[in-house]
Amino acid sequence: MKSFKHIDAASVEEAVSLLQESEGPAYVIAGGSDLLGCLKDNLWMEYPKAIVNLKTIPGLDTISVDEDGLHIGALVTLTKIAESETVKEFWPGLAEAARRTASPLLRNIGTIAGNICQENRCWYYRYPDKIGGRIDCVRKGGKRCLAVPGDHRYHSIFGAVNKCIAVNPSDTAPALIALDATIKTTKRTIPIDEFFSAGMGAQSTTLDRDEIVTEILVPRPAQEWTNAFRKIAFRKSIDFALVNCAAALTFADGKVTSARICLNGVHNNPRRCVESEAALIGKPLNEATAQEAGELAVAEAKPLLQNGFKVPMAKTIVIDTLMDCVK
Ligand SMILES: Cc1cc2nc3c(=O)[nH]c(=O)nc-3n(C[C@H](O)[C@H](O)[C@H](O)COP(=O)(O)OP(=O)(O)OC[C@H]3O[C@@H](n4cnc5c(N)ncnc54)[C@H](O)[C@@H]3O)c2cc1C
Ligand code: SF4
């Protein structure tokens, strides 16, 4: 690892000033479970001159509920979300997404904001430069994507963004999208549908370089509602999703009045299944309607040579997640 300044911020305002006044690139660190690996393997196009520690800022690690819904501080750990009785009762899809992330140790240090801001896991991108030199793929400013002609078993089945086919690896992202969360930052309030944006290099969100997530608000719908999350991975613990899915629905008189369904691990950004959502409105949720929604979710899939297996997997996980929402 190269050297950099590590600065403990005492307040959100101080953290922003430190990012703005840094003489070179500066990043914030929360649990460090993703960021430290990126630094160790020298992944980024610009190595940071400074790392600003958010964990020293008081007040960002609380969960509370009011008439607006569930307020989750940016530094709340995944363990705290997974174990919260309130989250388990009213937002079980989010509790399950947090519970299925990584391992107990990582959930104890990993924060919700870090989870939605984490980097992609493409193995060419993540290749450590100390073993045989740096791999400069298109996402690192190089000319080509190595995964397209190489090993792309776990990559996108819905095409590329800027020639990159790496998928978003977050487990909590689809849950927060299904629940129509809002991201509060030091500059603005971002609807979750506008938060993810896989670009060049480390960028996986629409955050500015000097912008910090402070809170996530998950609304509580007025009508009868359910939500659920499922994940398929090779191992039960410490494994990123091959495919994961979250769904949140409201009902009146036994019929679906609104539906939000999100797949992840299938594209550069988490992917809403808008055709599936539309097909459910005004109908009861049952095996037949869930089946139709599952089929629509993958109707536009364009798998590559090695990842066709993810298409039936995505279809099935949509059906199963919806069936978990049946009252
Ligand atoms: C072995 C292993 C297994 C894993 N398995 C999974 C898994 O199954 N599912 C999954 O979803 N993830 C997984 N992860 C990824 C990750 O470690 C966790 O998701 C964790 O939640 C990241 O949170 P953190 O607080 O440690 O983030 P950090 O590493 O501190 O930060 C990650 C990124 O977020 C940015 N960031 C952090 N906080 C803020 C903020 N408040 N505002 C703006 N930017 C911020 C940082 O600058 C950095 O770019 C795994 C990681 C490892 C090492
Ligand atoms: S998928 Fe993206 S990150 Fe992976 S090699 Fe291709 S351009 Fe790089």
Side-chain angles (χ1 to χ4, degrees):
M1 206 184 280
K2 297 181 194 169
S3 63
F4 52 81
K5 265 195 226 166
H6 182 276
I7 313 162
D8 289 339
S11 67
V12 171
E13 295 74 24
E14 189 194 0
V16 172
S17 302
L18 288 165
L19 291 176
Q20 289 170 342
E21 288 157 19
S22 169
E23 280 170 13
Y27 293 84
V28 295
I29 187 167
S33 62
D34 186 43
L35 186 122
L36 289 175
C38 298
L39 295 181
K40 205 167 144 223
D41 293 337
N42 192 18
L43 298 188
W44 292 332
M45 287 149 71
E46 295 174 310
Y47 204 85
K49 290 270 187 247
I51 294 294
V52 178
N53 182 18
L54 301 181
K55 285 254 169 147
T56 42
I57 302 175
L60 292 182
D61 60 351
T62 57
I63 296 182
S64 63
V65 180
D66 64 14
E67 63 279 4
D68 295 332
L70 175 71
H71 298 259
I72 311 173
L75 291 180
V76 171
T77 63
L78 297 165
T79 297
K80 194 164 179 174
I81 294 171
E83 292 180 354
S84 158
E85 292 305 325
T86 310
V87 181
K88 281 195 275 187
E89 185 175 353
F90 296 106
W91 295 275
L94 179 59
E96 178 65 2
R99 191 188 71 81
R100 288 296 313 274
T101 300
S103 64
L105 181 62
L106 286 158
R107 290 194 291 276
N108 285 344
I109 58 166
T111 62
I112 184 75
N115 189 266
I116 58 173
C117 295
Q118 66 177 294
E119 275 265 48
N120 82 78
R121 306 299 299 192
C122 171
W123 36 43
Y124 298 104
Y125 186 80
R126 290 260 171 179
Y127 191 79
D129 72 339
K130 58 184 172 292
I131 309 176
R134 187 178 165 87
I135 294 182
D136 275 335
C137 67
V138 79
R139 188 117 177 211
K140 283 185 184 168
K143 289 211 166 58
R144 63 194 187 107
C145 167
L146 284 93
V148 171
D151 189 337
H152 51 248
R153 278 172 288 165
Y154 311 135
H155 287 69
S156 171
I157 53 170
F158 286 99
V161 171
N162 298 333
K163 296 188 185 161
C164 173
I165 55 166
V167 297
N168 182 296
S170 168
D171 281 317
T172 62
L176 292 171
I177 290 174
L179 291 167
D180 201 11
T182 303
I183 312 294
K184 292 193 177 171
T185 77
T186 44
K187 287 190 176 174
R188 55 196 161 142
T189 297
I190 311 175
I192 190 94
D193 286 339
E194 294 164 23
F195 185 73
F196 295 95
S197 169
M200 284 293 285
Q203 192 70 23
S204 63
T205 71
T206 50
L207 291 176
D208 294 337
R209 291 290 285 269
D210 61 347
E211 187 171 16
I212 298 171
V213 175
T214 53
E215 185 186 287
I216 297 167
L217 171 63
V218 185
R220 183 206 287 261
Q223 285 177 306
E224 183 191 356
W225 55 299
T226 61
N227 59 87
F229 170 88
R230 278 194 176 229
K231 170 174 178 175
I232 301 174
F234 282 124
R235 295 175 301 192
K236 280 195 177 154
S237 187
I238 319 189
D239 215 351
F240 289 91
L242 290 167
V243 176
N244 60 21
C245 178
L249 297 99
T250 57
F251 300 87
D253 302 325
K255 304 225 171 99
V256 175
T257 49
S258 75
R260 289 178 64 95
I261 307 166
C262 184
L263 280 168
N264 209 7
V266 296
H267 186 52
N268 302 58
N269 299 308
R271 184 178 164 93
R272 284 257 318 267
C273 308
V274 284
E275 289 83 9
S276 316
E277 293 169 2
L280 287 167
I281 306 298
K283 296 180 190 161
L285 181 60
N286 55 35
E287 276 181 28
T289 53
Q291 177 75 26
E292 185 191 6
E295 277 159 20
L296 285 168
V298 294
E300 289 176 14
K302 298 183 195 80
L304 300 161
L305 270 182
Q306 300 155 6
N307 65 5
F309 72 96
K310 284 173 76 168
V311 177
M313 204 174 251
K315 177 179 125 183
T316 305
I317 202 170
V318 168
I319 297 168
D320 290 348
T321 310
L322 285 172
M323 291 310 289
D324 288 345
C325 291
V326 173
K327 286 262 184 185

